[in-house]
Amino acid sequence: MTFWQWYVRRGRIDRRTWWLQYTVPLAVLSALALAADLALGNRDLAAILDAEQGFGPVFQAVTLLATPATVSASATRLHDRGMSAWWLLLAFVPVFGQVALLVLNGFLPGDPRPNAYGPPPSWAEFPAPVQQQPLLPPPAAPPSGPPTPPPSAPPYWG
């Protein structure tokens, strides 16, 4: 998978992919960006927690760069459940919306069968069976015609 295929995802993804390829890495990246802002002296953690000031420029840049990947991953996760990406508008509902999207994306299973957004991601892991060549050649066909009688006496070689 290339970076662009990861950055703007299409089709469907399962819960494991959503957690391990998007949510956890982007959360760690955000924490590192916040630590970089604090180390550079751009912001004070106590002031951020008290909502006296916003996040620093490194955190904001990381957030802006990660937004397309986050939105496309959440949309493809919703597609795995057979839901439209319009459900992402729940993110604008304070508290309830974010919790609802977390539950929809991270905890509820996807459709086990193909839906309007394609086959389940697990189907791609198991390609169609390939006809394999047998390890041993097939047995020879019996000769056609009447059987030949065994020799009456062994040949004389002496």
Side-chain angles (χ1 to χ4, degrees):
M1 168 185 315
T2 66
F3 173 75
W4 292 111
Q5 289 172 334
W6 175 85
Y7 195 66
V8 181
R9 196 71 184 231
R10 299 279 187 250
R12 296 169 61 172
I13 59 173
D14 57 358
R15 285 179 289 182
R16 182 173 190 239
T17 303
W18 186 78
W19 280 109
L20 296 179
Q21 291 185 11
Y22 291 94
T23 306
V24 172
L26 293 177
V28 169
L29 186 63
S30 297
L32 291 174
L34 179 61
D37 273 335
L38 296 175
L40 294 172
N42 293 331
R43 295 289 186 247
D44 179 30
L45 184 59
I48 292 173
L49 294 176
D50 292 337
E52 293 174 5
Q53 59 178 250
F55 292 100
V58 176
F59 184 86
Q60 290 177 358
V62 166
T63 302
L64 286 174
L65 290 173
T67 297
T70 304
V71 170
S72 69
S74 293
T76 54
R77 181 67 193 119
L78 288 171
H79 288 171
D80 189 46
R81 302 207 65 246
M83 302 170 74
S84 169
W86 285 103
W87 283 89
L88 289 175
L89 293 176
L90 278 175
F92 295 111
V93 177
V95 182
F96 171 76
Q98 290 88 9
V99 171
L101 279 176
L102 180 66
V103 169
L104 287 172
N105 286 333
F107 298 106
L108 297 179
D111 289 342
R113 300 194 183 276
N115 61 20
Y117 303 101
S122 60
W123 284 23
E125 295 173 9
F126 304 106
V130 176
Q131 184 70 21
Q132 295 183 352
Q133 296 295 325
L135 295 176
L136 299 173
S144 61
T148 57
S152 58
Y156 180 71
W157 297 103

